[in-house]
Amino acid sequence: MTTSANTAKLTLFSVEQLSVAFRRRWQAPFLAVRELTFTIHEDETVALVGESGSGKSVTALAMMGLLPKDSADIPEVSRIVYQGCDLLRYTDEERRRLRGTDMAMIFQEPMTSLNPVFTIGYQIAEVLRLHKGMSAVASKARCIELLDEVGLPEPRRALARYPSQLSGGQQQRAMIAMALACTPRLLIADEPTTALDVTVQKQIVELLKTLKARHRMSILFISHDLALVGELADRIVVMRHGEMREEGSADQIFSSPQNRYTQALLQCRPQLGDVPSRLPVIDDFMVEATPRQTPAAFGGTPFEKGAKRKQGEGKAPPLLEVDRLRKSFFKREGLWRRYEIPAVKEASFTLRRGETLGIVGESGSGKTTLGLTLLRLHQATGGAVHFDGQNILSLSEEAFMTYRRRMQIVFQNPYASLNPRFTVGQSLIEPILLHKMASGRKAATSLAFDWLHRVGLDRDAFDKYPHEFSGGQRQRVALARALAVEPELLICDEPVSALDVSVQAQILNLLKDLQGQLGVSYLFISHDLAVVRYLCDAVMVMRDGEVVEINDVDSLYRHPQSVYTQQLLAAVPRGRGQPA
Amino acid sequence: MRQTHDSSVPETIPEKSGNGFWALAWLRFRDDRVGVVSIIFVAAFFIIVFLSALGAVASDWNKEVGIHDAPPDLWGLLTPVPPPEAMGNAAQRVAQTIKTAQHGEALLPSTVVDPLAETLAQLQGERMEGAFPESRVVDPLAETLRELGAEGMVLSAVEEKNAAKRTSLPFGGDRWGRDVLTKTIKGSQISITVGLSAALLATLLGTLLGALAGYYGGRTDDVLNWAYSVFNAIPYLLLILAVAAVLQQRGVMTVILILGLTGWTGVFRLIRAEYLKHRGREYVQAARAFGVPDRRILFLHILPNVSHVALVKVSLLAVGFIKAEVILSFLGFGVAVDEVSWGSMLNDAYQELILGRWWELAAAGGAMALFVTVFSLLTDAMRDALDPKIRETS
């Protein structure tokens, strides 16, 4: 394993043969990390990259000494060496003293890692008082200094704020300030930007880079996003199933990845720059992976590159015409007064049959509300929605019933979109029977089997409950359920955002295949510009409930008209060696 | 925004599927040792309650089978303490009577002889022959003698009866010599029936209203919340008095109605909050997007997901209502005087406790504690078994 320029630097941390096993009831222990060895040098950013279940967070927790004592076992041979001492031999008290002063950690969800009932100032001052024994006055001054350093506006006033009064990005800044309070030698950042919007993500990454340069500290950056990691890491460790797959300098990983899994990770993520007709999936690279039914079985060659955009599709008849659609929420204040919170302000667009329109925006832009309003799951405040020529907003609930079949939705979170108390079969059969897609329970069951097969699931999925499936499998079930009533329009509300990159690729390919087979139109809601570019024919950019820009996909990505679209595109992490 | 890439819960090993929901629930339940033990106890309680309701056991709970305050002997396991010696004690007197009767020195002769009888008979004969044939001779002693005779017979009957009474009983006797064991069984029947029925009624009402308020929101929610506030604003006891006054009769049904109609508010609040939460969940949105009818969404989609709340609440309410029944009995709105419940037993017993008679309190309290404990454990185990997700987290 090469470490190129960093060999001259001193080793700060070294993890040697780290294994972590979790004890389980009725089952053999689960090996979360297997014999992992890597080093972190001084003034270096090392990235741990892997999908969920790869053991990257467990590694971080083991380094911090935060693993649950009663269920996690670390064997004798494992060592975590810091300043010549093996931290695993330290007592709890000694490790506690190291946390905060020598090593600090920030987490994925700033909202849940800050205590909601204390002010930001109190929480940072607590660290200072505990570790440095600072007085109240001194710690307050230092707090202001820290908050200023992490770029929180008006640090003096921010001291008295509660976490809920800050935005997600500001909360993460406050978290970073807290981690920096005692100027640690190592900062562990566990997916610090995954819960944030792209533009905010970029700011946080920039902040981390600046802070690292200023304090000459090391950062262990944990992420599932290889492209993001490429923006700031010096060295990258790729993990899968608890094992290290590859270690190398960032440049080397991006330019000449040695391991097949690394290659797969780099390939299966849609890029802004070039649009393949299909995304390669991990299985295409992994020989050792168990052969299972991939969407490739439905046709389509995995590596066929180059734009295969359908030409002349503009002639297809419009399916959905939205005219100045408005949706506001009303909040009651006092007894009589209500004030309006507009979520969607005057959205107008057209979607043609068999096409895909992407709706892009950051959180709070109203894109999800727009989708739900189109399906009349929210009541529209104004405007008109014509589906196949019929204004569906003026229909009675009974008359709208047929349109409920013709318009369907797939949600972001496959963990929440299936009823946990229904088997997959029950979930599938209900809409089939409701919309009389099959006569009788027997016919409905065979139709359900049919759809399970089409989305690439086995027959025995029918009797299982949602929690027995992985995220990707659940999303397949949700897709089967929505498509089983043969809709003409499918609204996909961030269908791949909760999934690992490799699974994302599978689902995106499946969506594309099914569109080819069924001719269904997609309204694809996403915050991920690369994914949208891969899948959509046209894109609409939304911000604060307003449509900022709407254009054909190639034109929009090549020549973004509005400043906001330009900002969004600029914020997408590109990794290294990718065209900007 | 993006969801957490939650780390490292390994794929659960899929159990043999195709068994159906209830079969799987039973398999999960069987693994729970506490659950199995508690269901045995609860079943035993229910069998006793059932038999008692049919009149097969404890139908003669009101009979005075022992001497008053007979001490417990637990079928000979305990050496019963002799009843305390006290002057003017009815038991003493009865014992004395029995003793004297045995020694042949009866307090009263068993047959009463009228000393005037002969004279009067003579007079009667003279009158019949004489001038006033219509007049009758009245025996001035007859009334007294009749009374004396009757009293003698009653007393002898009492003696006979008392002689047959037992001086100790398995669980002891109460003030009137009634068997505490049968009383406890009969009391269990009434109390468990009252507690469970009222808890079911309250939970049913609370769940229904809570579901409507939480799912529909808006006006429906406003109206139901208003009703909730009104019910909660009136002091509980006043409300009970009001309902009792409207129903105008005492008895088990009345107590069930009183408790059920006043106890739904807590359930309402909880279930409403759950429905509020679930209404926005994506699986409900998905069902709505398919046009699934509201009643299906309310009771088929959401209810199973919130039923654990209702289940836990039923057990808590049952426990609470069993206690509330005590208060009601104390206030005179409980079960009627010719019925017995744990509440009325405790009510009787607490006055006796100062005299050292602990057995009625122990029996009623013990039965209540045992039932409440096993019932709570059972509902806990049931909740775990009915949740298909729980296996993953354990």
Side-chain angles (χ1 to χ4, degrees):
Chain A
M1 303 288 150
T2 53
T3 44
S4 64
N6 294 314
T7 35
K9 285 179 180 170
L10 289 168
T11 302
L12 180 71
F13 255 89
S14 72
V15 174
E16 292 162 25
Q17 295 201 359
L18 178 71
S19 300
V20 180
F22 285 100
R23 282 192 284 269
R24 290 187 291 189
R25 270 166 89 190
W26 337 111
Q27 284 174 56
F30 173 66
L31 266 174
V33 180
R34 301 162 202 229
E35 302 194 339
L36 180 69
T37 303
F38 67 96
T39 51
I40 303 169
H41 298 107
E42 282 186 354
D43 189 20
E44 182 187 41
T45 303
V46 175
L48 273 184
V49 179
E51 298 180 284
S52 47
S54 62
K56 50 194 196 305
S57 290
V58 175
T59 307
L61 291 174
M63 289 174 72
M64 286 294 286
L66 292 174
L67 283 174
K69 275 247 147 47
D70 52 346
S71 63
D73 287 323
I74 300 176
E76 288 289 312
V77 289
S78 302
R79 278 154 56 86
I80 296 174
V81 182
Y82 170 67
Q83 289 180 337
C85 304
D86 184 3
L87 296 187
L88 292 174
R89 307 286 168 270
Y90 272 30
T91 63
D92 288 349
E93 178 57 26
E94 283 166 331
R95 298 212 71 173
R96 190 189 67 76
R97 239 177 274 141
L98 278 182
R99 288 198 286 270
T101 54
D102 290 63
M103 50 203 295
M105 188 162 174
I106 54 176
F107 299 90
Q108 176 174 359
E109 284 286 347
M111 190 64 190
T112 48
S113 35
L114 290 166
N115 190 332
V117 300
F118 293 113
T119 61
I120 300 296
Y122 178 86
Q123 296 185 55
I124 300 174
E126 190 183 21
V127 180
L128 293 169
R129 285 205 318 273
L130 283 177
H131 286 294
K132 296 241 162 136
M134 278 192 181
S135 69
V137 182
S139 66
K140 190 180 174 189
R142 175 88 180 108
C143 277
I144 295 170
E145 214 177 289
L146 281 165
L147 290 177
D148 192 37
E149 194 178 351
V150 297
L152 213 63
E154 299 184 76
R156 243 164 233 289
R157 289 181 60 193
L159 275 187
R161 294 265 170 85
Y162 288 91
S164 57
Q165 293 173 295
L166 304 177
S167 70
Q170 289 172 334
Q171 285 170 359
Q172 200 57 290
R173 283 172 194 272
M175 226 12 239
I176 293 172
M178 203 192 290
L180 287 180
C182 301
T183 51
R185 309 284 301 280
L186 174 71
L187 178 68
I188 299 177
D190 189 358
E191 304 251 11
T193 60
T194 307
L196 305 173
D197 284 322
V198 257
T199 49
V200 184
Q201 167 171 294
K202 193 174 175 65
Q203 292 164 14
I204 296 287
V205 166
E206 289 304 321
L207 173 67
L208 285 175
K209 277 157 110 172
T210 327
L211 291 172
K212 179 194 163 246
R214 191 181 305 158
H215 296 290
R216 302 187 56 76
M217 64 179 177
S218 302
I219 296 178
L220 180 66
F221 192 92
I222 295 168
S223 180
H224 65 281
D225 189 344
L226 208 44
L228 170 69
V229 157
E231 304 260 303
L232 82 169
D234 299 315
R235 267 185 324 118
I236 296 176
V237 175
V238 180
M239 290 178 74
R240 192 188 196 200
H241 299 326
E243 288 171 327
M244 182 196 288
R245 286 302 164 105
E246 185 164 6
E247 183 193 12
S249 72
D251 292 323
Q252 179 252 312
I253 293 275
F254 277 95
S255 57
S256 56
Q258 300 300 309
N259 188 279
R260 303 182 75 88
Y261 179 66
T262 317
Q263 292 165 3
L265 271 188
L266 282 167
Q267 288 286 332
C268 65
R269 171 89 192 128
Q271 305 291 338
L272 274 185
D274 78 315
V275 185
S277 68
R278 289 187 64 83
L279 291 168
V281 297
I282 299 274
D283 292 356
D284 297 332
F285 292 86
M286 308 306 286
V287 196
E288 76 255 39
T290 49
R292 58 187 295 278
Q293 196 168 22
T294 60
F298 295 101
T301 39
F303 294 105
E304 181 191 326
K305 291 221 172 185
K308 203 194 81 183
R309 293 250 161 249
K310 291 150 273 179
Q311 294 298 314
E313 289 275 327
K315 291 185 194 81
L319 177 68
L320 184 74
E321 290 167 289
V322 178
D323 183 27
R324 281 169 294 166
L325 182 70
R326 288 195 297 120
K327 171 66 195 171
S328 297
F329 292 101
F330 294 92
K331 201 174 169 189
R332 238 191 302 192
E333 196 176 65
L335 213 47
W336 312 112
R337 276 194 48 205
R338 295 198 310 167
Y339 63 94
E340 190 178 340
I341 304 164
V344 178
K345 307 170 194 164
E346 304 240 321
S348 303
F349 60 89
T350 304
L351 173 64
R352 296 178 183 282
R353 273 185 193 277
E355 287 196 355
T356 303
L357 173 68
I359 301 179
V360 175
E362 298 186 292
S363 49
S365 61
K367 53 192 195 304
T368 295
T369 310
L370 175 64
L372 294 177
T373 311
L374 290 177
L375 289 175
R376 302 216 327 191
L377 293 175
H378 284 326
Q379 205 187 346
T381 313
V385 177
H386 290 274
F387 183 87
D388 206 10
Q390 168 74 46
N391 185 357
I392 53 170
L393 293 187
S394 60
L395 289 174
S396 71
E397 190 54 46
E398 289 76 43
F400 187 62
M401 193 62 188
T402 51
Y403 290 90
R404 290 224 177 274
R405 183 189 70 71
R406 298 173 71 182
M407 313 166 72
Q408 269 307 312
I409 185 164
V410 172
F411 293 96
Q412 168 179 9
N413 188 349
Y415 297 86
S417 61
L418 297 171
N419 191 336
R421 292 299 179 100
F422 279 24
T423 60
V424 165
Q426 283 173 301
S427 282
L428 288 173
I429 283 179
E430 184 177 43
I432 290 177
L433 287 178
L434 192 70
H435 289 288
K436 305 191 173 58
M437 302 308 294
S439 52
R441 187 154 278 273
K442 218 168 177 179
T445 308
S446 73
L447 190 59
F449 276 129
D450 206 36
W451 276 103
L452 281 177
H453 179 69
R454 291 187 93 154
V455 298
L457 289 170
D458 294 332
R459 284 177 76 91
D460 52 338
F462 190 83
D463 284 317
K464 289 188 191 166
Y465 285 92
H467 71 265
E468 296 176 68
F469 295 98
S470 67
Q473 288 171 321
R474 285 187 226 196
Q475 203 59 294
R476 286 170 192 266
V477 174
L479 204 57
R481 179 180 59 177
L483 291 175
V485 294
E486 294 170 22
E488 291 149 60
L489 168 68
L490 184 67
I491 298 179
C492 303
D493 188 357
E494 305 248 15
V496 295
S497 305
L499 306 174
D500 278 324
V501 267
S502 59
V503 185
Q504 265 188 22
Q506 292 171 9
I507 297 290
L508 290 174
N509 284 337
L510 180 62
L511 280 171
K512 224 169 186 181
D513 291 338
L514 290 169
Q515 186 168 40
Q517 292 167 28
L518 308 165
V520 56
S521 307
Y522 291 145
L523 198 63
F524 193 87
I525 300 170
S526 181
H527 66 276
D528 190 329
L529 288 136
V531 167
V532 165
R533 165 123 219 213
Y534 168 70
L535 204 68
C536 300
D537 301 300
V539 183
M540 180 166 102
V541 181
M542 287 186 77
R543 185 190 199 181
D544 297 334
E546 271 173 303
V547 176
V548 176
E549 190 169 353
I550 178 165
N551 208 340
D552 161 60
V553 67
D554 289 325
S555 324
L556 186 122
Y557 281 77
R558 293 232 174 81
H559 314 288
Q561 298 298 307
S562 71
V563 182
Y564 180 65
T565 312
Q566 288 163 11
Q567 279 175 1
L568 274 184
L569 284 170
V572 174
R574 285 179 168 74
R576 305 211 174 167
Q578 307 289 327
Chain B
M1 275 308 298
R2 275 186 257 182
Q3 281 296 310
T4 49
H5 290 252
D6 67 334
S7 59
S8 81
V9 178
E11 288 292 306
T12 48
I13 293 152
E15 214 164 274
K16 212 175 137 26
S17 299
N19 278 328
F21 179 78
W22 293 105
L24 282 175
W26 170 242
L27 283 180
R28 281 193 292 268
F29 186 85
R30 235 177 26 183
D31 280 348
D32 188 346
R33 214 167 300 161
V34 178
V36 172
V37 172
S38 62
I39 203 173
I40 291 170
F41 273 96
V42 171
F45 263 104
F46 282 167
I47 288 168
I48 291 171
V49 165
F50 190 64
L51 290 179
S52 159
L54 287 179
V57 292
S59 55
D60 56 349
W61 67 275
N62 218 350
K63 230 164 99 186
E64 296 160 22
V65 289
I67 58 169
H68 86 107
D69 292 322
D73 59 7
L74 278 179
W75 297 279
L77 290 176
L78 280 176
T79 0
V81 215
E85 301 281 328
M87 286 311 292
N89 190 315
Q92 282 278 272
R93 243 188 294 134
V94 172
Q96 192 63 46
T97 312
I98 294 163
K99 226 178 271 170
T100 43
Q102 280 163 349
H103 288 288
E105 293 171 43
L107 289 176
L108 280 167
S110 49
T111 48
V112 186
V113 183
D114 189 351
L116 294 177
E118 229 167 289
T119 327
L120 287 172
Q122 250 177 22
L123 271 173
Q124 184 70 25
E126 284 168 22
R127 281 290 154 95
M128 301 266 275
E129 294 154 16
F132 311 103
E134 283 97 39
S135 67
R136 292 177 57 217
V137 178
V138 178
D139 184 351
L141 287 177
E143 194 77 3
T144 323
L145 288 172
R146 236 194 334 272
E147 276 172 27
L148 274 172
E151 206 169 303
M153 275 164 70
V154 168
L155 262 180
S156 60
V158 168
E159 280 160 26
E160 231 167 83
K161 222 168 132 194
N162 282 344
K165 276 187 180 174
R166 296 162 59 182
T167 50
S168 72
L169 289 161
F171 277 31
D174 72 355
R175 211 181 324 180
W176 317 110
R178 293 181 296 196
D179 185 0
V180 169
L181 179 60
T182 44
K183 242 181 121 178
T184 309
I185 291 172
K186 195 71 190 169
S188 299
Q189 181 211 329
I190 305 276
S191 286
I192 292 176
T193 314
V194 166
L196 281 187
S197 318
L200 282 177
L201 179 65
T203 309
L204 224 60
L205 205 60
T207 304
L208 184 68
L209 297 178
L212 295 174
Y215 184 71
Y216 288 107
R219 278 287 134 74
T220 321
D221 191 27
D222 287 348
V223 170
L224 288 169
N225 263 325
W226 174 81
Y228 161 84
S229 302
V230 168
F231 265 82
N232 253 21
I234 302 170
Y236 191 63
L237 284 176
L238 274 185
L239 200 61
I240 286 172
L241 295 188
V243 177
V246 172
L247 292 172
Q248 279 193 333
Q249 53 178 340
R250 294 183 58 178
V252 175
M253 255 339 267
T254 315
V255 179
I256 291 172
L257 281 178
I258 289 177
L259 293 174
L261 293 179
T262 55
W264 58 273
T265 50
V267 191
F268 168 78
R269 210 62 196 176
L270 277 175
I271 295 288
R272 175 181 170 272
E274 286 294 315
Y275 269 79
L276 269 177
K277 195 168 81 188
H278 279 265
R279 148 177 101 170
R281 288 272 167 91
E282 289 170 340
Y283 76 89
V284 177
Q285 301 269 19
R288 286 179 60 208
F290 281 116
V292 176
D294 281 357
R295 58 177 193 291
R296 264 183 84 86
I297 293 182
L298 274 170
F299 300 115
L300 233 87
H301 282 257
I302 307 183
L303 191 60
N305 284 295
V306 306
S307 58
H308 60 279
V309 179
L311 254 174
V312 172
K313 200 66 190 168
V314 166
S315 77
L316 289 177
L317 277 180
V319 172
F321 285 160
I322 286 170
K323 290 189 284 185
E325 186 267 331
V326 179
I327 301 171
L328 282 184
S329 301
F330 195 78
L331 286 173
F333 291 101
V335 294
V337 266
D338 59 346
E339 286 170 319
V340 65
S341 69
W342 288 336
S344 65
M345 281 176 77
L346 291 176
N347 205 357
D348 290 346
Y350 90 98
Q351 296 156 337
E352 308 265 308
L353 197 60
I354 200 163
L355 300 173
R357 289 166 209 143
W358 48 268
W359 41 88
E360 191 168 6
L361 186 83
M368 185 166 145
L370 183 64
F371 179 74
V372 163
T373 310
V374 292
F375 190 68
S376 306
L377 290 174
L378 177 67
T379 42
D380 272 5
M382 262 164 61
R383 185 199 53 198
D384 290 353
L386 291 177
D387 189 349
K389 257 186 327 204
I390 213 94
R391 201 155 26 102
E392 196 172 50
T393 49
S394 69

